[in-house]
Amino acid sequence: MHSFFFSHSPEIWERHPELVPGVLLAQGIHRNTCVQAQVAHYHGVARARLDAVGSEADLPEIQAWRRSFARMGLKPTQYRCASESLLRRFRKEGALPPIHPLVDLCNALSLAFAIPIAVFDLSKVAEGLQVRCAEGTESYLAFSGETETPDRGEVVFADAAGCAHARRWTHRQSALSAVRDETSRVLIVAEALHADAANDVQQLLDALSRALADTWAPPAACALLRKDAPRLAF
């Protein structure tokens, strides 16, 4: 079995010292299962949080990402972090369409915690993933089927083959490593920047670990990363 790693570059830690990443490795994933009860529970949590504030833009988790996007030169209402996009759709439509049990579960947790969660099929990732500034040579496969080249300096999830598995940090993942029916081994990454991020990301990892154990298998690895311990190898 190949070994993999996940990390953020020193430059990312330097620019975003408030960052709290939670990383989890899950194996034995398949789609022949039902996560409806868990999803309904976390949708209820998200609905209650939205009702209490009125809009996802009022949540501290989302506000922190908006500030970071603005610092990166991205217009926050044009480029939203993944959890804000999900919450916005959920608030307007009242539900999210089912995709795959694991994706549905992670999306529901992302809604409840208002924290972006990325899920990468490790069979499509070369050696590992680093969140870093793009060199401008990386290749990104959009869900439209088009291949894009991220701008130099843009924050991407990059692997050793020069593939960008997400663009504009937590804005959008690539179709290349998206979860499919045959996906069995994934890396799940949750990132937060708000004041209670350390506590909230740990709670998210705990909730996700329990859901994985109930549905597929306990996580093979799980860690809260820090600037002085920025790497998970597995």
Side-chain angles (χ1 to χ4, degrees):
M1 190 178 282
H2 298 298
S3 62
F4 285 88
F5 75 90
F6 176 82
S7 69
H8 291 75
S9 71
E11 188 177 3
I12 296 296
W13 283 109
E14 207 60 48
R15 292 182 184 180
H16 305 275
E18 71 276 33
L19 172 66
V20 179
V23 190
L24 193 149
L25 171 66
Q27 301 182 145
I29 302 300
H30 56 80
R31 71 167 304 139
N32 303 323
T33 189
C34 179
V35 293
Q36 228 169 338
Q38 293 110 309
V39 167
H41 169 72
Y42 291 115
H43 280 187
V45 173
R47 205 168 281 117
R49 290 197 72 191
L50 284 170
D51 288 346
V53 294
S55 165
E56 61 283 349
D58 298 315
L59 295 168
E61 300 89 342
I62 301 304
Q63 289 174 348
W65 274 109
R66 282 190 167 206
R67 287 192 296 271
S68 285
F69 272 44
R71 284 208 308 271
M72 291 188 290
L74 299 172
K75 192 177 176 185
T77 52
Q78 183 178 0
Y79 297 109
R80 295 177 165 89
C81 76
S83 54
E84 180 178 355
S85 295
L86 283 175
L87 281 160
R88 194 163 179 261
R89 181 173 186 181
F90 183 72
R91 175 173 55 79
K92 289 181 172 181
E93 300 177 13
L96 295 178
I99 298 169
H100 178 286
L102 179 63
V103 176
D104 299 345
L105 180 64
C106 287
N107 281 349
L109 280 159
S110 182
L111 288 173
F113 284 88
I115 291 172
I117 300 175
V119 187
F120 303 99
D121 182 335
L122 284 176
S123 70
K124 305 295 184 183
V125 177
E127 292 180 33
L129 282 171
Q130 185 176 53
V131 182
R132 60 167 174 79
C133 294
E135 293 163 3
T137 57
E138 294 83 2
S139 171
Y140 171 90
L141 180 63
F143 280 90
S144 64
E146 290 176 52
T147 300
E148 302 170 1
T149 304
D151 301 328
R152 184 177 175 83
E154 180 187 323
V155 178
V156 295
F157 281 64
D159 71 9
C163 293
H165 292 267
R167 286 198 65 183
R168 300 181 186 89
W169 201 346
T170 53
H171 171 60
R172 184 159 293 159
Q173 281 185 240
S174 164
L176 179 63
S177 50
V179 173
R180 292 179 171 79
D181 286 357
E182 62 273 18
T183 298
S184 65
R185 192 168 183 244
V186 298
L187 185 70
I188 303 173
V189 181
E191 296 163 293
L193 301 157
H194 62 289
D196 293 325
N199 180 57
D200 292 345
V201 174
Q202 186 60 63
Q203 283 195 32
L204 192 161
L205 287 180
D206 292 345
L208 181 54
S209 296
R210 288 192 301 271
L212 287 167
D214 289 347
T215 311
W216 293 283
C222 186
L224 211 57
L225 303 182
R226 309 186 307 271
K227 186 178 182 178
D228 60 349
R231 184 182 172 100
L232 177 69
F234 49 89

